[in-house]
Amino acid sequence: MRRIIKGLSVGVIDILLINFSIMLAFLLKYDGDIQYIASLYAKDMWYISLLTTAAILVCFAIFRLYRSLWVYAGMYEAMMLGGALVTGNAIVILSVSLLSIPAPVSVFVMAFFIESLLIISARFMYRLLRRLKHNRLDKNLLKRLMIIGGGDSGSIIVKELQQNENSNCKAVAIIDDNKAKRGMKLHGVPILGDRHDIVRVAKEKKIDEIIIAIPSAPRDVINEIFGECVKTDCKIRILPSISHLIDGRISLNMVRDVQFEDLLGRDVVKTDLNGIADYLRDKVVLVTGGGGSIGSELCRQVAEFNPRTLIILDFYENNAYELQNELKINFPSLDLKTVIANIREKQRMDEIFRKYKPDVVFHAAAHKHVPLMEENPQEAIKNNVFGTLNVVEAADRYGASRFILISSDKAVNPTNVMGATKRIAEMIVQSMNRRSRTIFAAVRFGNVLGSSGSVIPLFKKQIEMGGPVTVTDPEITRYFMTIPEAVQLVIQAGGMAGGGEIFVLDMGKPVKIVDLARDLIRLSGLEPDIDIKIKFTGLR
């Protein structure tokens, strides 16, 4: 009912403005001489008014202008309105000519321009009044935002903030490195400087929150900008990488908190697996350690390539159960098997391979915590060496076509028990490859962000507890990669393997662990060495 009343109200306003435009056009044509106009057109004025009103309203309906949300009106709505007015007035001029109504064409041309000005102004005035009302009511409650990036993405964010009356934020400043844009305005918001002005502008404009809206920027640029942003007291959020945006659609709800992955120091490696992963389609795929951080992501990505059967093998039932439920929801047609078993048990491995006869095996099951394995070396050997041997021999015995071992960069000239057991596992795989019809290969990668046992979850927990954050040495560095990157490498290696290779991902520049710790503390809204102490414990 409210919608009908609103539509009728707009229609009534249009009728009044159309008729006012006709009257004004006649007055302009004849220099305001009302008596002269009445003597010439008194009899025909009703026909002219009725004809013009009917023609234009019909055109408005055909152009669906009464279904537009004028609070969000833009150039498209203005063009459609202009098109409807041109069409309506053309019909009027043609009709007046055919009906021999004695009215000059110049009057209708002037009426067209007056109608355009008044009707378009009325619609955009409605939008303006709503925005002013919103800003006036909530002026003291609105969070003041700074947008980093005055390009397409920044423009969309600013526009959405202005149009969304439920938003509790207001863009008050824009930062862009393009010097030609400095001093200009984007949707009324001033561009006040480049990345080196972030701290100054944040202080001058009393900024509460910063949004980094340059999704196509390289990681090193994001890193530098973030370094400037953390010098302020503002909350920092980011529009994700352009690879995460679909069909160019950008929305304010895509903006999220900055994560360490955004500050990796390099672009995330993206691999087109469609052609490479053909070896998984319609095959029986087994993932050992399938409930772990790497194994579970492997299962998710393998499931996308339509295997005949996917087998999750894990000794810990909780992780496997949760992953099983997730995959059943996301891949309802997938033939999924969940097997609880220990790779140390040779007979159990033999039984599983005899039953399912997997074509492809991803071996991710392993003990990987370096300090724990130093204290429990026998367990590392049982699991990482003899467990791997059990799975390798079963894969050979039951004719698997490919076997990919998930290894570690710590297997290179190993200095600890975990690294040594992983190197032995690689040697087992390479040795078996020389005498088996199965293609055996290994994949090495460094520290995986977010994986269980990695430094990131440890640091986050230490920050939550109030510190200190423990780092072995101020000069220690590590290579980092994301879980999806690691899994893409594994799947790619499976497709490229000819037998006996050890694949390694180029992970760019190493990251100082102490810098990583400081970034994570800042991402938590705290100040390193002031709110959270960093403690150096010495090399292990």
Side-chain angles (χ1 to χ4, degrees), residues 484-519:
E485 279 183 313
V487 169
Q488 285 175 23
L489 175 64
V490 173
I491 294 174
Q492 186 179 17
M496 295 171 62
E501 301 95 339
I502 296 176
F503 293 91
V504 182
L505 175 68
D506 178 3
M507 292 182 285
K509 297 177 182 177
V511 177
K512 271 191 175 183
I513 299 297
V514 68
D515 291 341
L516 183 153
R518 289 193 177 106
D519 282 341

Side-chain angles (χ1 to χ4, degrees), residues 202-218:
K203 187 175 181 181
E204 289 177 359
K205 294 294 181 179
K206 299 178 181 178
I207 301 297
D208 300 305
E209 188 171 312
I210 299 172
I211 295 177
I212 302 173
I214 38 176
S216 58

